Amino acid sequence: MDITIAILKLAADGAKKTQIVYGANLNSTIANKYLIRLEEKELIEQKGNMFITTDKGRSYREMASELDIR
């Protein structure tokens, strides 16, 4: 869940895949898997070479942050 939240946060204002890979501390293969899954769930969308968090993704991120138990 932490990776998902990190990706949604990085893509809030739009981010390239490279920015997401470095920002979330992932390798390219893992990032691809997360990006595909997040697109399938309509939490992010790709416009050109940018990934952008959708409204649904923002809501998900807010709810997940509220449930963060540490």
Side-chain angles (χ1 to χ4, degrees):
M1 188 185 262
D2 288 340
I3 294 171
T4 299
I5 293 170
I7 292 171
L8 293 174
K9 185 176 182 181
L10 289 163
D13 295 321
K16 293 181 180 180
K17 182 179 167 189
T18 305
Q19 292 170 305
I20 292 170
V21 167
Y22 287 108
N25 197 26
L26 303 171
N27 68 42
S28 185
T29 304
I30 300 290
N32 280 335
K33 290 179 183 180
Y34 273 92
L35 292 171
I36 290 168
R37 181 60 61 107
L38 291 173
E39 279 188 287
E40 288 173 353
K41 301 293 182 185
E42 299 177 354
L43 299 177
I44 62 170
E45 61 184 355
Q46 186 174 3
K47 292 185 178 178
N49 64 348
M50 299 290 283
F51 291 91
I52 302 167
T53 303
T54 63
D55 290 337
K56 183 177 176 182
R58 282 186 200 78
S59 296
Y60 177 87
R61 190 180 109 207
E62 290 170 11
M63 285 189 292
S65 295
E66 288 176 14
L67 295 173
D68 189 20
I69 301 169
R70 292 183 193 218

